[in-house]
Coordinates of all heavy atoms in Angstrom, one line a residue:
A704 N -7.9 -16.4 16.6 CA -6.7 -15.5 16.6 C -5.8 -15.6 17.8 O -4.6 -15.4 17.7 CB -7.1 -14.0 16.4
T705 N -6.4 -16.0 18.9 CA -5.5 -16.1 20.1 C -4.8 -17.4 20.3 O -3.9 -17.5 21.2 CB -6.4 -15.8 21.4 OG1 -7.4 -16.8 21.5 CG2 -7.0 -14.4 21.4
G706 N -5.1 -18.4 19.4 CA -4.4 -19.6 19.5 C -3.0 -19.6 18.8 O -2.6 -18.6 18.2
R707 N -2.2 -20.6 18.9 CA -0.9 -20.7 18.3 C -0.9 -20.5 16.8 O -0.2 -19.6 16.2 CB -0.2 -22.0 18.6 CG 0.2 -22.2 20.0 CD 0.8 -23.5 20.2 NE -0.3 -24.4 20.0 CZ -0.3 -25.7 20.3 NH1 0.8 -26.3 20.7 NH2 -1.3 -26.5 20.1
T708 N -1.8 -21.2 16.1 CA -1.9 -21.0 14.6 C -2.4 -19.7 14.3 O -1.9 -19.0 13.3 CB -2.8 -22.1 14.0 OG1 -2.3 -23.4 14.4 CG2 -2.9 -22.0 12.5
G709 N -3.4 -19.2 15.0 CA -4.0 -17.9 14.7 C -3.0 -16.8 14.8 O -2.9 -15.9 13.9
K710 N -2.1 -16.8 15.8 CA -1.1 -15.8 16.0 C -0.1 -15.8 14.9 O 0.4 -14.7 14.4 CB -0.5 -15.9 17.4 CG -1.4 -15.4 18.5 CD -0.7 -15.5 19.8 CE -1.7 -15.1 20.9 NZ -1.1 -15.2 22.2
H711 N 0.3 -17.0 14.4 CA 1.2 -17.1 13.3 C 0.6 -16.5 12.0 O 1.3 -15.8 11.2 CB 1.6 -18.5 13.0 CG 2.6 -19.1 14.0 ND1 3.8 -18.6 14.2 CD2 2.4 -20.1 14.9 CE1 4.5 -19.3 15.1 NE2 3.6 -20.2 15.6
I712 N -0.7 -16.8 11.8 CA -1.4 -16.3 10.6 C -1.4 -14.8 10.7 O -1.2 -14.1 9.7 CB -2.8 -16.9 10.4 CG1 -2.6 -18.4 10.0 CG2 -3.6 -16.1 9.4 CD1 -3.9 -19.2 10.0
I713 N -1.8 -14.2 11.8 CA -1.8 -12.8 12.0 C -0.5 -12.2 11.6 O -0.4 -11.2 10.9 CB -2.2 -12.4 13.4 CG1 -3.7 -12.7 13.6 CG2 -2.0 -10.9 13.7 CD1 -4.1 -12.5 15.1
Q714 N 0.6 -12.7 12.2 CA 1.9 -12.1 11.9 C 2.3 -12.2 10.5 O 2.8 -11.2 9.9 CB 3.0 -12.8 12.8 CG 4.3 -12.1 12.7 CD 4.2 -10.7 13.3 OE1 3.9 -10.5 14.5 NE2 4.5 -9.7 12.4
E715 N 2.0 -13.3 9.8 CA 2.4 -13.4 8.4 C 1.5 -12.5 7.6 O 2.0 -11.9 6.6 CB 2.2 -14.9 7.9 CG 3.2 -15.8 8.5 CD 4.6 -15.4 8.0 OE1 4.8 -15.1 6.8 OE2 5.5 -15.5 8.8
A716 N 0.3 -12.3 7.9 CA -0.6 -11.4 7.1 C -0.2 -10.0 7.3 O -0.2 -9.2 6.3 CB -2.1 -11.6 7.6
L717 N 0.2 -9.6 8.5 CA 0.7 -8.2 8.8 C 2.0 -8.0 8.0 O 2.2 -6.9 7.4 CB 0.8 -8.0 10.3 CG -0.4 -7.9 11.1 CD1 -0.1 -7.8 12.6 CD2 -1.3 -6.7 10.7
N718 N 2.9 -9.0 8.0 CA 4.1 -8.9 7.3 C 3.9 -8.7 5.8 O 4.7 -8.1 5.1 CB 5.0 -10.1 7.5 CG 5.5 -10.2 9.0 OD1 5.5 -9.2 9.7 ND2 6.1 -11.3 9.3
S719 N 2.8 -9.2 5.3 CA 2.4 -9.1 3.9 C 1.7 -7.9 3.5 O 1.2 -7.7 2.4 CB 1.7 -10.4 3.4 OG 2.5 -11.5 3.6
G720 N 1.4 -7.0 4.6 CA 0.7 -5.8 4.4 C -0.8 -5.8 4.5 O -1.5 -4.8 4.1
H721 N -1.4 -6.9 5.0 CA -2.8 -7.0 5.1 C -3.3 -6.4 6.4 O -2.5 -6.2 7.4 CB -3.2 -8.5 5.1 CG -2.9 -9.1 3.8 ND1 -3.5 -8.8 2.6 CD2 -2.0 -10.1 3.5 CE1 -3.0 -9.6 1.6 NE2 -2.1 -10.3 2.2
R722 N -4.5 -6.0 6.5 CA -5.2 -5.5 7.7 C -5.9 -6.7 8.3 O -6.4 -7.5 7.6 CB -6.1 -4.4 7.4 CG -5.4 -3.1 6.9 CD -6.3 -2.0 6.5 NE -7.1 -2.5 5.3 CZ -8.4 -2.4 5.2 NH1 -9.2 -1.9 6.1 NH2 -9.0 -2.8 4.1
I723 N -5.9 -6.8 9.6 CA -6.5 -7.9 10.3 C -7.6 -7.5 11.3 O -7.5 -6.5 12.0 CB -5.4 -8.6 11.2 CG1 -4.3 -9.1 10.3 CG2 -6.0 -9.8 11.9 CD1 -4.7 -10.1 9.2
S724 N -8.7 -8.3 11.3 CA -9.7 -8.2 12.3 C -9.8 -9.5 13.0 O -9.5 -10.6 12.4 CB -11.1 -8.0 11.5 OG -12.2 -7.9 12.5
A725 N -10.1 -9.5 14.3 CA -10.1 -10.7 15.1 C -11.2 -10.6 16.2 O -11.5 -9.5 16.6 CB -8.8 -10.9 15.7
I726 N -11.7 -11.7 16.6 CA -12.6 -11.8 17.8 C -11.8 -12.5 18.9 O -11.1 -13.5 18.7 CB -13.8 -12.7 17.4 CG1 -14.6 -12.1 16.2 CG2 -14.7 -12.9 18.6 CD1 -15.6 -13.0 15.7
A727 N -11.9 -11.9 20.1 CA -11.2 -12.5 21.3 C -12.0 -12.3 22.5 O -12.5 -11.2 22.7 CB -9.9 -11.8 21.4
R728 N -12.2 -13.3 23.3 CA -12.8 -13.2 24.6 C -12.0 -12.3 25.5 O -12.5 -11.5 26.3 CB -13.0 -14.5 25.3 CG -14.1 -15.3 24.6 CD -14.3 -16.7 25.4 NE -13.2 -17.5 25.2 CZ -13.1 -18.6 24.5 NH1 -14.2 -19.0 23.9 NH2 -12.0 -19.3 24.4
D729 N -10.6 -12.4 25.4 CA -9.7 -11.6 26.1 C -8.8 -10.8 25.1 O -7.8 -11.3 24.7 CB -8.9 -12.5 27.0 CG -7.9 -11.7 27.9 OD1 -7.9 -10.4 27.8 OD2 -7.0 -12.3 28.5
P730 N -9.2 -9.6 24.8 CA -8.4 -8.8 23.8 C -7.0 -8.6 24.2 O -6.1 -8.4 23.3 CB -9.2 -7.5 23.7 CG -10.6 -7.9 24.1 CD -10.5 -8.9 25.1
N731 N -6.7 -8.7 25.5 CA -5.3 -8.5 25.9 C -4.3 -9.5 25.4 O -3.1 -9.3 25.3 CB -5.2 -8.5 27.5 CG -5.8 -7.2 28.1 OD1 -5.6 -6.1 27.5 ND2 -6.4 -7.3 29.2
Q732 N -4.9 -10.7 25.0 CA -4.0 -11.7 24.4 C -3.5 -11.3 23.0 O -2.6 -11.9 22.5 CB -4.8 -13.0 24.3 CG -5.1 -13.7 25.6 CD -5.8 -15.0 25.4 OE1 -5.7 -15.6 24.3 NE2 -6.5 -15.5 26.4
L733 N -4.1 -10.3 22.4 CA -3.6 -9.8 21.1 C -3.0 -8.4 21.1 O -2.9 -7.8 20.1 CB -4.8 -9.9 20.1 CG -5.4 -11.3 19.9 CD1 -6.7 -11.1 19.1 CD2 -4.4 -12.2 19.2
K734 N -2.7 -8.0 22.3 CA -2.2 -6.6 22.5 C -0.9 -6.3 21.7 O -0.6 -5.2 21.5 CB -2.0 -6.3 24.0 CG -0.9 -7.1 24.6 CD -0.8 -6.7 26.1 CE 0.3 -7.6 26.7 NZ 0.3 -7.6 28.1
D735 N -0.1 -7.3 21.4 CA 1.1 -7.1 20.7 C 1.0 -6.9 19.2 O 1.9 -6.6 18.5 CB 2.0 -8.4 20.9 CG 2.5 -8.6 22.3 OD1 2.5 -7.6 23.1 OD2 2.7 -9.7 22.7
F736 N -0.3 -7.0 18.7 CA -0.5 -6.8 17.3 C -1.4 -5.5 17.1 O -2.2 -5.2 17.9 CB -1.4 -7.9 16.7 CG -0.6 -9.3 16.8 CD1 -1.0 -10.2 17.8 CD2 0.4 -9.6 16.0 CE1 -0.4 -11.4 17.9 CE2 1.0 -10.8 16.1 CZ 0.6 -11.8 17.0
E737 N -1.1 -4.8 16.0 CA -1.9 -3.6 15.6 C -3.0 -4.1 14.7 O -2.8 -4.1 13.5 CB -1.0 -2.6 14.9 CG 0.1 -2.1 15.8 CD 0.2 -0.6 16.0 OE1 -0.6 0.1 15.3 OE2 1.0 -0.1 16.7
I738 N -4.1 -4.6 15.3 CA -5.2 -5.1 14.5 C -6.5 -4.6 15.1 O -6.6 -4.1 16.2 CB -5.2 -6.7 14.5 CG1 -5.3 -7.2 16.0 CG2 -3.9 -7.2 13.9 CD1 -5.5 -8.7 16.0
D739 N -7.6 -4.8 14.4 CA -9.0 -4.5 14.9 C -9.4 -5.7 15.7 O -9.5 -6.8 15.2 CB -9.9 -4.3 13.8 CG -9.6 -3.0 12.9 OD1 -8.9 -2.1 13.5 OD2 -9.9 -3.0 11.7
I740 N -9.8 -5.5 17.0 CA -10.2 -6.6 17.8 C -11.6 -6.3 18.3 O -12.0 -5.3 18.8 CB -9.3 -6.8 19.1 CG1 -7.9 -7.0 18.7 CG2 -9.8 -7.9 20.0 CD1 -6.9 -6.9 19.8
T741 N -12.5 -7.3 18.1 CA -13.9 -7.3 18.6 C -13.9 -8.2 19.8 O -13.6 -9.4 19.6 CB -14.9 -7.8 17.5 OG1 -14.7 -7.0 16.3 CG2 -16.3 -7.7 18.0
A742 N -14.3 -7.7 20.9 CA -14.4 -8.5 22.1 C -15.6 -9.3 22.1 O -16.7 -8.9 21.7 CB -14.4 -7.6 23.4
G743 N -15.5 -10.6 22.4 CA -16.6 -11.5 22.3 C -16.2 -12.9 22.0 O -15.1 -13.3 22.1
T744 N -17.2 -13.6 21.5 CA -17.0 -15.1 21.1 C -17.5 -15.3 19.7 O -18.5 -14.7 19.2 CB -17.8 -16.0 22.1 OG1 -17.7 -17.3 21.6 CG2 -19.2 -15.6 22.2
P745 N -16.8 -16.2 19.0 CA -17.3 -16.4 17.6 C -18.6 -17.2 17.5 O -19.1 -17.5 16.4 CB -16.1 -17.3 17.0 CG -15.5 -17.9 18.2 CD -15.6 -16.9 19.3

C-alpha cells in the first residue's frame, strides 16, 4: 500500500466507495487516507 501503485489503488478504491485495509511498516506513509492500517510487515 505504501508504494506508488498501492497508493493509486487505495485512492481509486476509496473513490469507488470501498473500505481499505493495509499493512505498513511506517503507518505515517498512509496518513492521508482514511483506512485501516496494521503496523508491521507482510
Side-chain angles (χ1 to χ4, degrees):
T705 60
R707 288 176 296 188
T708 304
K710 287 181 180 178
H711 286 294
I712 288 172
I713 289 172
Q714 190 60 63
E715 287 299 316
L717 290 173
N718 290 345
S719 297
H721 299 291
R722 293 175 293 129
I723 303 295
S724 178
I726 299 171
R728 286 183 294 249
D729 180 7
N731 286 326
Q732 290 186 20
L733 299 171
K734 66 181 178 190
D735 295 334
F736 300 105
E737 299 233 358
I738 62 174
D739 297 331
I740 302 170
T741 302
T744 174

